[in-house]
Amino acid sequence: MTRAERERDLRDRLIHAGHLIPLPTRGLATFTSDVEAVVRGVDGLVRTMEPVAGVVEIGVPPFLPEVEFVRTGYLRSFPHLLGSVDVFTGSPRDHRALMADVEAGNPWTERLSPAHLDLLSAPCHSAYPLHQGQSLHTPRVYDIHSRCWRHEPSDDPMRLMSFRMREKVLIGSAEQASAHRESGLGHGPRLLSDLGLPVSRVVANDPFFGRMARLMAEGQRDDELKFEFICDVYGGDDGGVALGSANYHQDHFGGDFDITGPDGGPAHSACIGFGLERIALALFAVHGMDTGRWPTAVRDGLRLGP
Ligand code: ATP
Ligand code: ZN
C-alpha cells in the first residue's frame, strides 16, 4: 500500500468502528464518544505535564484580531494555511438580495464583509499580544488549549483543517526560553511513550510558503529551532507523523510584539505543542479500534475508567 492508501485505510477503519463520521468537506471530521474520551484523557495529561511554578492556564477564542494576526508573521510565512471570518452587516434589503442569490444557487459570500478576525493556527499566538509593549521582569508561562485552523485539506484522518492543540508557552529571556524548550524535549516524548506510542525526536521545519521557503526551512533546521515528536503510525519509509513539537522562536515574537525580556533585551519565547486528535488517533492506530482492549496502563493513564 502507498502512504495515501494507508492513510485512507486508517480513516476507513475509524469510520467502520463508528469513531469517525465523515463530513463532505475534506479535512473536516466529527468524532464520537470513544475518541472524545481519549482526546480528554490526552488533554488532561498535557495540562498536568511538567508543572512549572507560576504557570497560568488561559482560555482563548479560536480567532485573532487581524492586527495581531499580521504581527505574528503567519501571513508572511504561511498564507496558504490561513482562514478568516466574514459576517453579514447589511440592511434588510441587502439580506433579501443575499437570500435571492442563495435560492438561485448563485455565489453569495461576496455579499458578506470581513470581520477582521483570523482563525487561530496555534494557541501560543494568543499569548504574545497579552504582553505587547511590556517589559517583563519575570518569565511568563501559559498553558493554552484551543481549536486551531489550518487550510490543509486531506484524506488523512490525522491531518485536519480544524483540530485541537494544547501548548505550554514561555516568554522570557533567551536562557529561560531555551531551558523551557529543552525541558519539553524530555517531557513531551515521555508523555507519549508512557501511552505506548513509540516516538523519536527529530529536527524539523515549518511548511513555509513561496520562493524563500527552502531558505527559511534550511535556516530553521540548521539552528535546530524546531523538533518534532514523530511516531511511525503508517509504517513504510516515508516518514512518521508528528504528534507534538518543541519550538524555540528566539526573539521572533518578542520583536513582533515589542516585548522586553527580564534581561533587558527583546523577549525570547518557546512552546511545546501537542495535537490532541492526532495523538488520540495514533493511539487507535497502535492499540486497535476497541479501547476496552487497550493495555491497562494506557487506559489508566487516560482515565478511561474501569
Ligand atoms: P506537520 O509537520 O504534520 O504539518 P506541524 O509542524 O505543522 O505538523 P506544529 O505547528 O508543530 O505542527 O503543531 C503542533 C502539533 O499540532 C503537531 O505536532 C500535530 O500533532 C498537530 N497538528 C498540526 N497540524 C495538524 C493538522 N493539520 N491536523 C491535526 N493535527 C495537527
Ligand atoms: Zn506555539
Side-chain angles (χ1 to χ4, degrees), residues 33-73:
S33 314
D34 286 354
V35 176
E36 288 301 301
V38 175
V39 164
R40 272 195 303 279
V42 173
D43 190 43
L45 288 174
V46 176
R47 201 168 70 81
T48 52
M49 177 187 97
E50 185 205 354
V52 182
V55 63
V56 175
E57 183 175 359
I58 51 173
V60 299
F63 319 103
L64 273 189
E66 188 175 279
V67 182
E68 294 176 353
F69 180 74
V70 171
R71 271 184 188 266
T72 64

mmCIF file of all heavy atoms in Angstrom, residues 33-73:
data_model
loop_
_atom_site.group_PDB
_atom_site.id
_atom_site.type_symbol
_atom_site.label_atom_id
_atom_site.label_comp_id
_atom_site.label_asym_id
_atom_site.label_seq_id
_atom_site.Cartn_x
_atom_site.Cartn_y
_atom_site.Cartn_z
ATOM 1 N N SER A 33 -17.929 9.278 20.863
ATOM 2 C CA SER A 33 -17.599 9.196 22.299
ATOM 3 C C SER A 33 -16.206 8.665 22.617
ATOM 4 O O SER A 33 -15.496 9.254 23.448
ATOM 5 C CB SER A 33 -18.601 8.299 23.020
ATOM 6 O OG SER A 33 -19.883 8.618 22.629
ATOM 7 N N ASP A 34 -15.823 7.526 22.018
ATOM 8 C CA ASP A 34 -14.552 6.913 22.417
ATOM 9 C C ASP A 34 -13.365 7.820 22.078
ATOM 10 O O ASP A 34 -12.432 7.968 22.873
ATOM 11 C CB ASP A 34 -14.366 5.549 21.737
ATOM 12 C CG ASP A 34 -15.280 4.494 22.362
ATOM 13 O OD1 ASP A 34 -15.949 4.814 23.367
ATOM 14 O OD2 ASP A 34 -15.321 3.363 21.836
ATOM 15 N N VAL A 35 -13.403 8.417 20.893
ATOM 16 C CA VAL A 35 -12.295 9.315 20.513
ATOM 17 C C VAL A 35 -12.301 10.536 21.430
ATOM 18 O O VAL A 35 -11.254 10.973 21.925
ATOM 19 C CB VAL A 35 -12.390 9.756 19.030
ATOM 20 C CG1 VAL A 35 -11.290 10.748 18.687
ATOM 21 C CG2 VAL A 35 -12.319 8.542 18.106
ATOM 22 N N GLU A 36 -13.507 11.074 21.690
ATOM 23 C CA GLU A 36 -13.599 12.257 22.550
ATOM 24 C C GLU A 36 -13.069 11.957 23.952
ATOM 25 O O GLU A 36 -12.408 12.793 24.573
ATOM 26 C CB GLU A 36 -15.037 12.777 22.608
ATOM 27 C CG GLU A 36 -15.488 13.446 21.320
ATOM 28 C CD GLU A 36 -14.609 14.639 20.943
ATOM 29 O OE1 GLU A 36 -14.514 15.582 21.738
ATOM 30 O OE2 GLU A 36 -14.005 14.609 19.858
ATOM 31 N N ALA A 37 -13.353 10.740 24.460
ATOM 32 C CA ALA A 37 -12.846 10.376 25.797
ATOM 33 C C ALA A 37 -11.317 10.321 25.775
ATOM 34 O O ALA A 37 -10.651 10.764 26.724
ATOM 35 C CB ALA A 37 -13.433 9.028 26.227
ATOM 36 N N VAL A 38 -10.757 9.802 24.686
ATOM 37 C CA VAL A 38 -9.298 9.719 24.588
ATOM 38 C C VAL A 38 -8.707 11.131 24.447
ATOM 39 O O VAL A 38 -7.695 11.459 25.080
ATOM 40 C CB VAL A 38 -8.878 8.793 23.418
ATOM 41 C CG1 VAL A 38 -7.372 8.810 23.229
ATOM 42 C CG2 VAL A 38 -9.377 7.372 23.658
ATOM 43 N N VAL A 39 -9.358 11.973 23.638
ATOM 44 C CA VAL A 39 -8.889 13.368 23.497
ATOM 45 C C VAL A 39 -8.867 14.039 24.871
ATOM 46 O O VAL A 39 -7.895 14.714 25.235
ATOM 47 C CB VAL A 39 -9.793 14.159 22.500
ATOM 48 C CG1 VAL A 39 -9.585 15.662 22.640
ATOM 49 C CG2 VAL A 39 -9.520 13.725 21.060
ATOM 50 N N ARG A 40 -9.941 13.828 25.670
ATOM 51 C CA ARG A 40 -9.992 14.435 27.016
ATOM 52 C C ARG A 40 -8.853 13.911 27.886
ATOM 53 O O ARG A 40 -8.213 14.652 28.616
ATOM 54 C CB ARG A 40 -11.321 14.118 27.706
ATOM 55 C CG ARG A 40 -12.430 15.096 27.412
ATOM 56 C CD ARG A 40 -13.585 14.947 28.397
ATOM 57 N NE ARG A 40 -14.154 13.606 28.423
ATOM 58 C CZ ARG A 40 -15.030 13.153 27.528
ATOM 59 N NH1 ARG A 40 -15.437 13.917 26.535
ATOM 60 N NH2 ARG A 40 -15.503 11.914 27.613
ATOM 61 N N GLY A 41 -8.592 12.590 27.778
ATOM 62 C CA GLY A 41 -7.522 11.977 28.568
ATOM 63 C C GLY A 41 -6.168 12.561 28.200
ATOM 64 O O GLY A 41 -5.362 12.913 29.076
ATOM 65 N N VAL A 42 -5.917 12.675 26.906
ATOM 66 C CA VAL A 42 -4.629 13.211 26.443
ATOM 67 C C VAL A 42 -4.509 14.672 26.879
ATOM 68 O O VAL A 42 -3.472 15.109 27.387
ATOM 69 C CB VAL A 42 -4.510 13.101 24.896
ATOM 70 C CG1 VAL A 42 -3.253 13.806 24.410
ATOM 71 C CG2 VAL A 42 -4.526 11.643 24.446
ATOM 72 N N ASP A 43 -5.604 15.410 26.714
ATOM 73 C CA ASP A 43 -5.593 16.831 27.092
ATOM 74 C C ASP A 43 -5.237 16.985 28.574
ATOM 75 O O ASP A 43 -4.431 17.848 28.946
ATOM 76 C CB ASP A 43 -6.974 17.436 26.794
ATOM 77 C CG ASP A 43 -6.969 18.943 26.921
ATOM 78 O OD1 ASP A 43 -6.017 19.571 26.440
ATOM 79 O OD2 ASP A 43 -7.914 19.482 27.523
ATOM 80 N N GLY A 44 -5.819 16.120 29.410
ATOM 81 C CA GLY A 44 -5.539 16.176 30.851
ATOM 82 C C GLY A 44 -4.074 15.885 31.139
ATOM 83 O O GLY A 44 -3.459 16.540 31.990
ATOM 84 N N LEU A 45 -3.507 14.923 30.413
ATOM 85 C CA LEU A 45 -2.093 14.590 30.644
ATOM 86 C C LEU A 45 -1.190 15.757 30.251
ATOM 87 O O LEU A 45 -0.213 16.062 30.936
ATOM 88 C CB LEU A 45 -1.704 13.343 29.838
ATOM 89 C CG LEU A 45 -2.266 12.020 30.351
ATOM 90 C CD1 LEU A 45 -1.932 10.886 29.391
ATOM 91 C CD2 LEU A 45 -1.688 11.713 31.739
ATOM 92 N N VAL A 46 -1.521 16.400 29.122
ATOM 93 C CA VAL A 46 -0.678 17.526 28.690
ATOM 94 C C VAL A 46 -0.829 18.682 29.683
ATOM 95 O O VAL A 46 0.137 19.341 30.047
ATOM 96 C CB VAL A 46 -1.054 17.993 27.259
ATOM 97 C CG1 VAL A 46 -0.245 19.221 26.871
ATOM 98 C CG2 VAL A 46 -0.842 16.863 26.248
ATOM 99 N N ARG A 47 -2.067 18.885 30.156
ATOM 100 C CA ARG A 47 -2.313 20.006 31.071
ATOM 101 C C ARG A 47 -1.487 19.875 32.349
ATOM 102 O O ARG A 47 -0.953 20.845 32.853
ATOM 103 C CB ARG A 47 -3.802 20.075 31.419
ATOM 104 C CG ARG A 47 -4.247 21.437 31.925
ATOM 105 C CD ARG A 47 -5.764 21.508 31.963
ATOM 106 N NE ARG A 47 -6.295 20.659 33.015
ATOM 107 C CZ ARG A 47 -6.344 20.999 34.297
ATOM 108 N NH1 ARG A 47 -5.904 22.172 34.686
ATOM 109 N NH2 ARG A 47 -6.830 20.170 35.190
ATOM 110 N N THR A 48 -1.362 18.634 32.842
ATOM 111 C CA THR A 48 -0.666 18.444 34.118
ATOM 112 C C THR A 48 0.809 18.067 33.937
ATOM 113 O O THR A 48 1.511 17.812 34.904
ATOM 114 C CB THR A 48 -1.359 17.346 34.953
ATOM 115 O OG1 THR A 48 -1.505 16.186 34.123
ATOM 116 C CG2 THR A 48 -2.729 17.798 35.413
ATOM 117 N N MET A 49 1.259 18.028 32.689
ATOM 118 C CA MET A 49 2.658 17.682 32.419
ATOM 119 C C MET A 49 3.581 18.748 32.989
ATOM 120 O O MET A 49 3.290 19.924 32.877
ATOM 121 C CB MET A 49 2.841 17.614 30.886
ATOM 122 C CG MET A 49 4.241 17.345 30.419
ATOM 123 S SD MET A 49 4.387 17.474 28.600
ATOM 124 C CE MET A 49 4.984 19.144 28.420
ATOM 125 N N GLU A 50 4.655 18.327 33.621
ATOM 126 C CA GLU A 50 5.736 19.246 33.985
ATOM 127 C C GLU A 50 5.209 20.554 34.595
ATOM 128 O O GLU A 50 5.353 21.631 34.022
ATOM 129 C CB GLU A 50 6.505 19.560 32.682
ATOM 130 C CG GLU A 50 7.729 20.378 32.807
ATOM 131 C CD GLU A 50 8.016 21.119 31.489
ATOM 132 O OE1 GLU A 50 7.326 20.887 30.484
ATOM 133 O OE2 GLU A 50 8.934 21.930 31.506
ATOM 134 N N PRO A 51 4.552 20.465 35.779
ATOM 135 C CA PRO A 51 4.012 21.713 36.341
ATOM 136 C C PRO A 51 5.126 22.727 36.629
ATOM 137 O O PRO A 51 6.090 22.405 37.304
ATOM 138 C CB PRO A 51 3.335 21.257 37.640
ATOM 139 C CG PRO A 51 3.536 19.794 37.744
ATOM 140 C CD PRO A 51 4.418 19.315 36.639
ATOM 141 N N VAL A 52 5.008 23.904 36.050
ATOM 142 C CA VAL A 52 6.010 24.953 36.227
ATOM 143 C C VAL A 52 5.427 25.980 37.186
ATOM 144 O O VAL A 52 4.248 26.322 37.077
ATOM 145 C CB VAL A 52 6.280 25.670 34.878
ATOM 146 C CG1 VAL A 52 7.363 26.724 35.028
ATOM 147 C CG2 VAL A 52 6.641 24.666 33.801
ATOM 148 N N ALA A 53 6.251 26.471 38.117
ATOM 149 C CA ALA A 53 5.759 27.481 39.065
ATOM 150 C C ALA A 53 5.247 28.685 38.285
ATOM 151 O O ALA A 53 5.894 29.141 37.346
ATOM 152 C CB ALA A 53 6.902 27.892 39.985
ATOM 153 N N GLY A 54 4.080 29.151 38.656
ATOM 154 C CA GLY A 54 3.557 30.382 38.049
ATOM 155 C C GLY A 54 2.852 30.181 36.727
ATOM 156 O O GLY A 54 2.463 31.156 36.090
ATOM 157 N N VAL A 55 2.694 28.940 36.306
ATOM 158 C CA VAL A 55 2.024 28.726 35.010
ATOM 159 C C VAL A 55 0.567 29.171 35.104
ATOM 160 O O VAL A 55 -0.110 28.934 36.103
ATOM 161 C CB VAL A 55 2.135 27.241 34.556
ATOM 162 C CG1 VAL A 55 1.438 26.312 35.513
ATOM 163 C CG2 VAL A 55 1.559 27.060 33.138
ATOM 164 N N VAL A 56 0.103 29.878 34.088
ATOM 165 C CA VAL A 56 -1.280 30.384 34.069
ATOM 166 C C VAL A 56 -2.015 29.709 32.918
ATOM 167 O O VAL A 56 -1.550 29.737 31.775
ATOM 168 C CB VAL A 56 -1.292 31.918 33.856
ATOM 169 C CG1 VAL A 56 -2.724 32.428 33.713
ATOM 170 C CG2 VAL A 56 -0.589 32.614 35.003
ATOM 171 N N GLU A 57 -3.153 29.093 33.241
ATOM 172 C CA GLU A 57 -3.960 28.491 32.183
ATOM 173 C C GLU A 57 -4.880 29.569 31.630
ATOM 174 O O GLU A 57 -5.537 30.272 32.403
ATOM 175 C CB GLU A 57 -4.781 27.324 32.754
ATOM 176 C CG GLU A 57 -5.567 26.623 31.668
ATOM 177 C CD GLU A 57 -6.299 25.373 32.174
ATOM 178 O OE1 GLU A 57 -6.170 25.055 33.375
ATOM 179 O OE2 GLU A 57 -6.997 24.767 31.353
ATOM 180 N N ILE A 58 -4.901 29.720 30.306
ATOM 181 C CA ILE A 58 -5.816 30.725 29.737
ATOM 182 C C ILE A 58 -6.722 30.079 28.694
ATOM 183 O O ILE A 58 -6.311 29.201 27.942
ATOM 184 C CB ILE A 58 -5.075 31.942 29.111
ATOM 185 C CG1 ILE A 58 -3.979 31.512 28.139
ATOM 186 C CG2 ILE A 58 -4.493 32.836 30.186
ATOM 187 C CD1 ILE A 58 -3.343 32.688 27.379
ATOM 188 N N GLY A 59 -7.968 30.520 28.699
ATOM 189 C CA GLY A 59 -8.932 30.092 27.691
ATOM 190 C C GLY A 59 -9.026 31.193 26.657
ATOM 191 O O GLY A 59 -9.216 32.356 27.018
ATOM 192 N N VAL A 60 -8.849 30.857 25.391
ATOM 193 C CA VAL A 60 -8.774 31.896 24.357
ATOM 194 C C VAL A 60 -9.763 31.591 23.235
ATOM 195 O O VAL A 60 -10.124 30.435 23.014
ATOM 196 C CB VAL A 60 -7.336 31.986 23.779
ATOM 197 C CG1 VAL A 60 -6.341 32.344 24.867
ATOM 198 C CG2 VAL A 60 -6.929 30.695 23.080
ATOM 199 N N PRO A 61 -10.210 32.629 22.505
ATOM 200 C CA PRO A 61 -11.092 32.385 21.353
ATOM 201 C C PRO A 61 -10.302 31.744 20.213
ATOM 202 O O PRO A 61 -9.079 31.906 20.162
ATOM 203 C CB PRO A 61 -11.549 33.788 20.944
ATOM 204 C CG PRO A 61 -10.967 34.753 21.912
ATOM 205 C CD PRO A 61 -9.921 34.057 22.703
ATOM 206 N N PRO A 62 -10.992 31.059 19.315
ATOM 207 C CA PRO A 62 -10.261 30.436 18.198
ATOM 208 C C PRO A 62 -9.954 31.418 17.063
ATOM 209 O O PRO A 62 -9.820 31.018 15.911
ATOM 210 C CB PRO A 62 -11.228 29.333 17.735
ATOM 211 C CG PRO A 62 -12.579 29.850 18.081
ATOM 212 C CD PRO A 62 -12.418 30.728 19.298
ATOM 213 N N PHE A 63 -9.880 32.717 17.378
ATOM 214 C CA PHE A 63 -9.551 33.759 16.389
ATOM 215 C C PHE A 63 -8.498 34.689 16.961
ATOM 216 O O PHE A 63 -8.334 34.767 18.171
ATOM 217 C CB PHE A 63 -10.740 34.686 16.091
ATOM 218 C CG PHE A 63 -12.043 34.011 15.966
ATOM 219 C CD1 PHE A 63 -12.961 34.064 16.998
ATOM 220 C CD2 PHE A 63 -12.356 33.321 14.812
ATOM 221 C CE1 PHE A 63 -14.184 33.443 16.877
ATOM 222 C CE2 PHE A 63 -13.582 32.697 14.686
ATOM 223 C CZ PHE A 63 -14.504 32.748 15.723
ATOM 224 N N LEU A 64 -7.866 35.439 16.059
ATOM 225 C CA LEU A 64 -7.029 36.565 16.486
ATOM 226 C C LEU A 64 -7.532 37.799 15.751
ATOM 227 O O LEU A 64 -7.847 37.712 14.557
ATOM 228 C CB LEU A 64 -5.580 36.344 16.060
ATOM 229 C CG LEU A 64 -4.627 35.565 16.933
ATOM 230 C CD1 LEU A 64 -3.225 35.695 16.357
ATOM 231 C CD2 LEU A 64 -4.649 36.049 18.373
ATOM 232 N N PRO A 65 -7.595 38.947 16.439
ATOM 233 C CA PRO A 65 -7.874 40.182 15.709
ATOM 234 C C PRO A 65 -6.834 40.351 14.598
ATOM 235 O O PRO A 65 -5.657 40.019 14.797
ATOM 236 C CB PRO A 65 -7.724 41.268 16.777
ATOM 237 C CG PRO A 65 -7.939 40.547 18.077
ATOM 238 C CD PRO A 65 -7.425 39.152 17.871
ATOM 239 N N GLU A 66 -7.279 40.870 13.470
ATOM 240 C CA GLU A 66 -6.419 40.934 12.279
ATOM 241 C C GLU A 66 -5.050 41.581 12.548
ATOM 242 O O GLU A 66 -4.021 41.082 12.089
ATOM 243 C CB GLU A 66 -7.170 41.745 11.219
ATOM 244 C CG GLU A 66 -6.536 41.769 9.867
ATOM 245 C CD GLU A 66 -7.465 42.502 8.904
ATOM 246 O OE1 GLU A 66 -8.418 41.881 8.427
ATOM 247 O OE2 GLU A 66 -7.253 43.705 8.673
ATOM 248 N N VAL A 67 -5.045 42.677 13.319
ATOM 249 C CA VAL A 67 -3.782 43.396 13.560
ATOM 250 C C VAL A 67 -2.787 42.478 14.273
ATOM 251 O O VAL A 67 -1.597 42.441 13.934
ATOM 252 C CB VAL A 67 -4.049 44.638 14.447
ATOM 253 C CG1 VAL A 67 -2.796 45.426 14.680
ATOM 254 C CG2 VAL A 67 -5.131 45.498 13.831
ATOM 255 N N GLU A 68 -3.294 41.712 15.245
ATOM 256 C CA GLU A 68 -2.402 40.811 15.987
ATOM 257 C C GLU A 68 -1.964 39.646 15.107
ATOM 258 O O GLU A 68 -0.819 39.203 15.153
ATOM 259 C CB GLU A 68 -3.117 40.308 17.242
ATOM 260 C CG GLU A 68 -3.368 41.434 18.223
ATOM 261 C CD GLU A 68 -4.168 41.008 19.434
ATOM 262 O OE1 GLU A 68 -4.649 39.863 19.478
ATOM 263 O OE2 GLU A 68 -4.321 41.850 20.341
ATOM 264 N N PHE A 69 -2.893 39.165 14.290
ATOM 265 C CA PHE A 69 -2.570 38.061 13.385
ATOM 266 C C PHE A 69 -1.414 38.458 12.467
ATOM 267 O O PHE A 69 -0.466 37.697 12.280
ATOM 268 C CB PHE A 69 -3.811 37.688 12.565
ATOM 269 C CG PHE A 69 -3.583 36.570 11.601
ATOM 270 C CD1 PHE A 69 -3.460 35.263 12.050
ATOM 271 C CD2 PHE A 69 -3.473 36.819 10.249
ATOM 272 C CE1 PHE A 69 -3.236 34.220 11.161
ATOM 273 C CE2 PHE A 69 -3.253 35.785 9.351
ATOM 274 C CZ PHE A 69 -3.135 34.480 9.811
ATOM 275 N N VAL A 70 -1.500 39.662 11.904
ATOM 276 C CA VAL A 70 -0.447 40.116 10.991
ATOM 277 C C VAL A 70 0.883 40.218 11.750
ATOM 278 O O VAL A 70 1.927 39.816 11.252
ATOM 279 C CB VAL A 70 -0.833 41.464 10.334
ATOM 280 C CG1 VAL A 70 0.338 42.054 9.564
ATOM 281 C CG2 VAL A 70 -2.043 41.273 9.425
ATOM 282 N N ARG A 71 0.822 40.692 12.987
ATOM 283 C CA ARG A 71 2.048 40.819 13.790
ATOM 284 C C ARG A 71 2.741 39.479 14.020
ATOM 285 O O ARG A 71 3.955 39.433 14.172
ATOM 286 C CB ARG A 71 1.737 41.429 15.158
ATOM 287 C CG ARG A 71 1.798 42.932 15.170
ATOM 288 C CD ARG A 71 1.572 43.422 16.579
ATOM 289 N NE ARG A 71 1.432 44.855 16.615
ATOM 290 C CZ ARG A 71 2.441 45.696 16.856
ATOM 291 N NH1 ARG A 71 3.644 45.235 17.101
ATOM 292 N NH2 ARG A 71 2.233 46.992 16.862
ATOM 293 N N THR A 72 1.983 38.389 14.107
ATOM 294 C CA THR A 72 2.618 37.083 14.362
ATOM 295 C C THR A 72 3.524 36.647 13.206
ATOM 296 O O THR A 72 4.324 35.731 13.363
ATOM 297 C CB THR A 72 1.579 35.947 14.561
ATOM 298 O OG1 THR A 72 0.845 35.780 13.340
ATOM 299 C CG2 THR A 72 0.637 36.228 15.706
ATOM 300 N N GLY A 73 3.343 37.257 12.029
ATOM 301 C CA GLY A 73 4.157 36.869 10.876
ATOM 302 C C GLY A 73 3.575 35.680 10.114
ATOM 303 O O GLY A 73 4.141 35.230 9.118
#
